[in-house]
Amino acid sequence: MSTAPAPTTDASPQSAAPAPVRSVRSVLRPLILRLHFYAGVLVAPFLLVAATTGLLYAASFQAEKILYAHELTVPAGDHKLPLSEQVAAARKAHPEGTVSAVRPSPEADATTRVLLSGVPGVGPDHSLAVFVDPYTAKVRGSLEQYGSTGALPLRTWLDGLHGNLHLGETGRLYSELAASWLWVIAGGGLALWFGRRRAQRKVRGTSGRRRTLGLHGTIGVWAAVGFVFLSATGLTWSTYAGANIDTLRTALHQATPSISAAAGGDHGSHNGSATGAGKDAATPKELDTILAAARAEGLGDPVEIVPPADASSAYVVKQIQRSWPEKQDAVAVDPASGKVVDELRFADYPLLAKLTRWGIDAHTGTLFGLVNQIALMALALSLILLIVWGYRMWWLRGRASAFGRPIPRGAWQHVPPQSLVPALATVAVLGYFVPLLGIPLAVFIAVDVLLGEIAHRKGRRTRDGQVA
């Protein structure tokens, strides 16, 4: 007797449909959005200060030329006097301090600068610049100067405001924090913009939050490369990240080389040789010989002549042109014989040393002159607008419920391990080399986790109360 097979029915259990597989991009987008949101809200005040002060600093180059025109320029003449006579005139008018450097007139209508250190009332890292007419040796005035670019009082003050808010080394942390996060915010913004549908990027015909979002994204995309550049170059001379970069460059044999100022002989008898930079080290006739020796080695204007540090040292003549093409060659000249005892050519710099030099000069607005300065002002203004629009979007986002409603948390839980682990490793390495990126990020995560746990427990208590 055979048994018939059991008939099938529609009620038979069906196999569960597999869960849809989410793409890596769709999983990462909420995480990037939350990071962009937190960084924008919390770091933006520092970026706003950096952008505003940077805008003023970029404009100071042209303002300086107008404000100090009397000291900087003279009517062009037929014949410039020997450099030693110009320096002697400066020392007669200002016998205080010691000569630390001389910058001969680089152009027909430019004055000669005689730099004095140790002048009462002038900071130890500053010098007093005495401006001399190269045709008549008349002193046209004196101003405090700072840095290798020859910044005068206006630019010096704005440089301090931009770099450290005039708070010394502690104040430098603000600018390093801004530089550490600017590239992260710019990169996150790019990822979010290109991840949106094309129709959602439009600005025309939109209003309210969507229009603000469109403006924010459009300007951000155009300026993102500039922001990343400013961030990278700003970090090269920051306190902590800059020190790590210097260590890395040294380990890779890419540090900026320096010229040897050893004269290689007994020069105790030459004039002005025994007093450090020497109160009279730059006044003897040998100064003209030193300059002629540097010219013979191809060092064209503008140059700076640094007197011997002691009896066994040589003069150092170095080019100081930071605009393109850069002139950074240097020679050391024996004051007794007038012979070149060492030379350093910019062409022989290691690649990273050259890139660092170019990056810093572009960041400070000197590499391409006025065009460079206009580009920096445009980037600074763009960043200011982006920050204002960003805060406006934050406000508009929460108007229906609570002010500044944040992006939902928990996005990282959906990131697959094969993507999450390498990302965490990369963040850890970056955080180590750029501490003011790593430390605030760790704080962001800790606070976010804490707030999430508080919200979770509050929600559980509410549900338990409802069940009861």
Side-chain angles (χ1 to χ4, degrees):
M1 180 176 180
S2 63
T3 304
T8 59
T9 66
D10 293 340
S12 301
Q14 300 291 324
S15 59
V21 178
R22 301 178 64 183
S23 66
V24 174
R25 187 175 69 175
S26 65
V27 170
L28 289 178
R29 179 178 171 80
L31 187 62
I32 296 173
L33 184 60
R34 188 164 181 81
L35 177 62
H36 188 73
F37 166 78
Y38 265 131
V41 170
L42 301 177
V43 181
F46 299 95
L47 288 171
L48 183 61
V49 173
T52 304
T53 56
L55 174 64
L56 295 174
Y57 179 79
S60 69
F61 286 88
Q62 303 306 315
E64 201 173 61
K65 294 178 181 179
I66 299 172
L67 187 61
Y68 306 119
H70 177 74
E71 289 83 1
L72 294 172
T73 59
V74 295
D78 297 326
H79 178 69
K80 292 182 179 180
L81 297 173
L83 189 58
S84 55
E85 293 185 26
Q86 300 176 49
V87 176
R91 297 301 285 139
K92 183 178 180 180
H94 292 273
E96 67 274 20
T98 59
V99 176
S100 58
V102 180
R103 295 187 172 189
S105 168
E107 299 170 347
D109 62 346
T111 53
T112 292
R113 296 194 196 189
V114 180
L115 306 181
L116 308 177
S117 61
V119 176
V122 177
D125 56 344
H126 292 207
S127 58
L128 181 69
V130 182
F131 299 86
V132 182
D133 187 328
Y135 303 101
T136 65
K138 291 182 179 179
V139 174
R140 294 181 64 84
S142 60
L143 295 167
E144 192 169 327
Q145 175 177 305
Y146 170 74
S148 58
T149 61
L152 297 177
L154 174 63
R155 187 151 55 96
T156 298
W157 191 86
L158 290 174
D159 178 58
L161 183 66
H162 178 66
N164 58 30
L165 302 177
H166 295 292
L167 297 176
E169 287 299 314
T170 302
R172 292 183 65 187
L173 297 179
Y174 112 85
S175 57
E176 182 169 354
L177 177 66
S180 299
W181 279 91
L182 179 56
W183 70 273
V184 176
I185 296 174
L190 276 177
L192 293 172
W193 176 257
F194 286 109
R196 291 171 62 86
R197 295 185 179 89
R198 184 176 296 274
Q200 294 175 325
R201 303 176 191 168
K202 294 181 179 180
V203 177
R204 291 183 180 181
T206 59
S207 61
R209 185 176 183 274
R210 185 175 177 184
R211 178 174 178 81
T212 303
L213 177 61
L215 290 170
H216 181 90
T218 301
I219 299 299
V221 166
W222 282 104
V225 174
F227 293 155
V228 173
F229 172 81
L230 290 177
S231 176
T233 53
L235 289 173
T236 56
W237 75 93
S238 60
T239 300
Y240 297 107
N244 290 332
I245 292 172
D246 287 342
T247 301
L248 179 62
R249 286 175 54 200
T250 300
L252 296 174
H253 305 290
Q254 295 288 308
T256 301
S258 59
I259 193 168
S260 172
D266 182 9
H267 306 292
S269 61
H270 81 82
N271 293 331
S273 62
T275 57
K279 189 170 185 177
D280 299 319
T283 58
K285 294 290 185 181
E286 68 185 22
L287 191 60
D288 300 301
T289 303
I290 299 299
L291 181 59
R295 298 294 194 210
E297 291 295 320
L299 270 68
D301 286 322
V303 298
E304 179 178 274
I305 305 171
V306 180
D310 51 43
S312 62
S313 298
Y315 280 85
V316 172
V317 185
K318 52 187 178 181
Q319 292 178 309
I320 54 173
Q321 179 170 303
R322 296 292 179 79
S323 59
W324 190 268
E326 294 215 354
K327 296 180 180 179
Q328 297 291 313
D329 293 347
V331 295
V333 184
D334 188 329
S337 64
K339 295 182 178 180
V340 173
V341 294
D342 193 23
E343 65 176 321
L344 177 63
R345 304 292 177 178
F346 186 66
D348 297 329
Y349 276 32
L351 177 60
L352 291 184
K354 289 180 180 178
L355 292 176
T356 300
R357 178 75 275 152
W358 292 329
I360 291 175
D361 292 339
H363 185 107
T364 56
T366 60
L367 187 59
F368 300 110
L370 180 59
V371 173
N372 196 165
Q373 293 148 25
I374 292 175
L376 289 175
M377 287 188 280
L379 282 174
L381 183 59
S382 298
L383 185 54
I384 292 171
L385 290 174
L386 289 171
I387 292 171
V388 172
W389 286 331
Y391 276 117
R392 175 171 170 75
M393 286 190 298
W394 182 36
W395 179 64
L396 292 174
R397 177 180 172 79
R399 289 184 66 179
S401 54
F403 176 78
R405 182 165 53 89
I407 307 299
R409 61 174 56 87
W412 65 271
Q413 298 175 358
H414 304 288
V415 179
Q418 61 269 27
S419 299
L420 182 61
V421 173
L424 291 177
T426 302
V427 169
V429 172
L430 286 173
Y432 175 80
F433 282 101
V434 188
L436 291 191
L437 170 65
I439 295 174
L441 181 58
V443 173
F444 290 168
I445 294 174
V447 171
D448 199 38
V449 170
L450 179 61
L451 292 176
E453 182 63 22
I454 292 174
H456 175 70
R457 293 186 178 185
K458 183 178 179 180
R460 187 170 61 184
R461 286 197 301 267
T462 301
R463 290 192 300 270
D464 291 345
Q466 292 174 347
V467 171

